Amino acid sequence: MIPEKVERGPRMKYVNLDHISSNPLLPEVKQAMIDAITHDYHNPSSQHKAGEEAAAALEKARGQVAGLLNADSPKEIVFTSGGTESVNHAIKGVAMANADKGKHIITTNIEHNAVIRSLRRLKSDGFTVTSLSVDPMGRVNPRDVAEAVTRETILVSVMHGNNETGTIQPIEEIARIARDRKVLFHTDAVDSVGIVPFDVKTVGADLVSFASNTFYGPTGVGGLYIRRGVKIFPLFDGGVQENNKRAGTENLVGIIGMGTAAEIAARDIDRRYAYLKSLKEKFLRELPQVLDEVIINTHPVHSLPHLVSASVKYIEGESVMLMLDDEGFGVSTRSACATGSLRASHVLLSIGLSHEDAQGTLVIAFGIDNSAEDVERFLKALKTVVTTLREISPLYKKASGGK
């Protein structure tokens, strides 16, 4: 039960601490999209001069995105409608194109629903899936991946940075294992690309899914890196767009925005990473001073620089979230794609949390528009909200001896 709202003085600015769900457009990105709308581009597939001009703008953006990933060629980038489509295309496209070699796929227990449900669909088509467990910090053991590979294995799909805990997987080692076994490797890097330095050559992945809004571009636009030579079927039938890999007229205005955001991310990635990490470290350093009995689910070393998963014992995370929203702070309790589900997060259960602690989890994701002052204000509000809720929590009263 959430206490009734009380009247307060003038509210200070609303602080978004849910940057894992979406991010505001950078001013340069917004202007690039306005310019594109004003220019009134034609269809990039048209053969006349206006179409050729649109195609040139499309390819410029493709080059900008390829630069962010350090791809060998812009042709290795396929534009999509976002991270979910990119994941679906990678998994289903590889499965359809390589079913003659085998029907076994390896993944983990902590993947995004886009991966889980894509694989569930493939199971109905006769594919088998091995889903590997993770340790209490949410990391899969590469040895488990190696042991799971069979002669029938055609794909390993392991996410890079988890969208609920922030923990980063040892994907470079996993990629080497897959490459040595002649198995394709896909990583869902939707919450990593543009936030951490991400070089597809260093990582060694054959396919990488990513989304524009993660690095302050528009929503509804994403991409799939497909290493040259990888055999993959398109999801959509129709035209020959995207080098015959993704039929349908491209979202040119959105893609131009993503290209601009990618270029800025590539330029600012080190500075952006350091700043986000400083906010996260400040929060983690000062949190124990204002709250006790909080479980940090994020790996202390191998994690995204801006995300913290914190399980506050004895209370429900949704109640905390709603009260913090009233205080002017936006946080989440789990993946935005799972919002509305009453079930505990499969990710948090997979790392060993109880249902009660999983339900009391907050996901705090800082952004480049946040400040140290925002962190301090948030900690004060969090203390007030948690204290209020624990005072009426039967679990807290029981744990504290009925006091």
Side-chain angles (χ1 to χ4, degrees):
M1 178 179 179
I2 301 174
E4 293 183 3
K5 296 180 180 179
V6 297
E7 294 297 327
R8 298 181 175 87
R11 177 184 289 185
M12 297 181 69
K13 70 167 185 174
Y14 191 85
V15 178
N16 176 27
L17 297 176
D18 186 21
H19 289 83
I20 202 69
S21 298
S22 191
N23 288 289
L25 285 177
L26 292 173
E28 301 96 323
V29 173
K30 186 181 296 184
Q31 188 59 53
M33 295 174 71
I34 291 172
D35 291 344
I37 293 171
T38 305
H39 191 84
D40 192 21
Y41 280 107
H42 287 248
N43 190 319
S45 296
S46 298
Q47 299 301 305
H48 47 63
K49 288 184 179 179
E52 291 175 356
E53 190 177 45
L58 184 75
E59 294 312 311
K60 177 184 176 182
R62 198 185 308 278
Q64 290 169 317
V65 173
L68 176 61
L69 295 169
N70 195 29
D72 272 334
S73 168
K75 292 182 179 180
E76 293 178 313
I77 304 298
V78 173
F79 291 126
T80 69
S81 64
T84 292
E85 183 190 328
S86 297
V87 167
N88 272 260
H89 191 179
I91 292 174
K92 296 175 183 175
V94 165
M96 294 166 61
N98 296 276
D100 59 329
K101 298 179 181 178
K103 286 193 165 186
H104 178 237
I105 300 172
I106 299 170
T107 189
T108 76
N109 290 343
I110 59 163
E111 301 297 312
H112 189 277
N113 276 334
V115 171
I116 293 172
R117 294 182 179 179
S118 292
L119 293 172
R120 187 181 301 165
R121 175 63 61 87
L122 289 176
K123 284 182 181 180
S124 66
D125 293 330
F127 287 81
T128 59
V129 176
T130 298
S131 188
L132 302 174
S133 299
V134 296
D135 65 23
M137 281 284 93
R139 301 240 304 169
V140 68
N141 190 329
R143 289 196 301 272
D144 292 341
V145 176
E147 292 174 1
V149 176
T150 72
R151 287 182 295 179
E152 292 289 309
T153 307
I154 58 172
L155 177 68
V156 174
S157 182
V158 176
M159 74 192 322
H160 184 260
N162 188 272
N163 57 304
E164 292 192 41
T165 66
T167 296
I168 292 176
Q169 299 298 326
I171 61 170
E172 292 179 22
E173 187 173 352
I174 294 171
R176 283 195 296 271
I177 291 169
R179 185 167 56 252
D180 291 344
R181 304 297 181 88
K182 294 180 171 54
V183 173
L184 293 176
F185 176 61
H186 163 251
T187 186
D188 169 6
V190 167
D191 295 300
S192 302
V193 170
I195 296 294
V196 301
F198 197 99
D199 185 324
V200 292
K201 296 186 183 70
T202 301
V203 170
D206 299 294
L207 305 106
V208 178
S209 301
F210 56 95
S212 164
N213 60 285
T214 300
F215 45 93
Y216 303 88
T219 57
V221 188
L224 177 63
Y225 162 81
I226 306 173
R227 183 179 55 77
R228 186 182 302 171
V230 170
K231 187 179 177 183
I232 187 170
F233 279 3
L235 282 187
F236 305 145
D237 295 317
V240 299
Q241 292 90 349
E242 297 303 294
N243 197 26
N244 271 316
K245 290 185 173 67
R246 203 263 190 184
T249 302
E250 295 92 345
N251 173 9
L252 183 57
V253 172
I255 289 169
I256 287 172
M258 178 167 69
T260 303
E263 186 174 271
I264 295 170
R267 181 194 70 199
D268 295 346
I269 194 72
D270 291 335
R271 182 172 56 191
R272 184 178 292 181
Y273 182 96
Y275 182 69
L276 292 173
K277 189 176 180 181
S278 72
L279 296 179
K280 174 181 170 179
E281 289 177 342
K282 177 179 177 63
F283 173 77
L284 289 173
R285 184 171 60 250
E286 297 181 11
L287 178 63
Q289 301 171 26
V290 298
L291 280 183
D292 60 1
E293 299 195 81
V294 178
I295 304 168
I296 301 300
N297 306 308
T298 305
H299 197 286
V301 177
H302 305 292
S303 59
L304 297 172
H306 66 318
L307 191 147
V308 175
S309 170
S311 299
V312 184
K313 295 182 72 66
Y314 313 122
I315 56 178
E316 291 183 346
E318 185 175 357
S319 298
V320 181
M321 177 189 70
L322 293 172
M323 290 184 68
L324 284 171
D325 186 60
D326 188 49
E327 293 289 335
F329 297 92
V331 300
S332 60
T333 56
R334 60 186 306 181
S335 167
C337 298
T339 299
S341 173
L342 298 177
R343 295 180 297 176
S345 161
H346 70 279
V347 173
L348 299 178
L349 296 180
S350 294
I351 64 175
L353 287 188
S354 67
H355 278 77
E356 291 79 9
D357 289 340
Q359 294 283 26
T361 301
L362 297 176
V363 178
I364 300 118
F366 301 102
I368 58 175
D369 53 321
N370 292 140
S371 66
E373 181 185 1
D374 291 336
V375 177
E376 293 171 3
R377 287 182 49 224
F378 174 65
L379 284 165
K380 291 179 182 178
L382 182 61
K383 178 180 180 180
T384 299
V385 168
V386 170
T387 300
T388 300
L389 289 172
R390 280 180 172 173
E391 287 176 352
I392 60 174
S393 167
L395 291 175
Y396 184 69
K397 291 178 180 178
K398 182 178 179 180
S400 59
K403 295 181 182 179

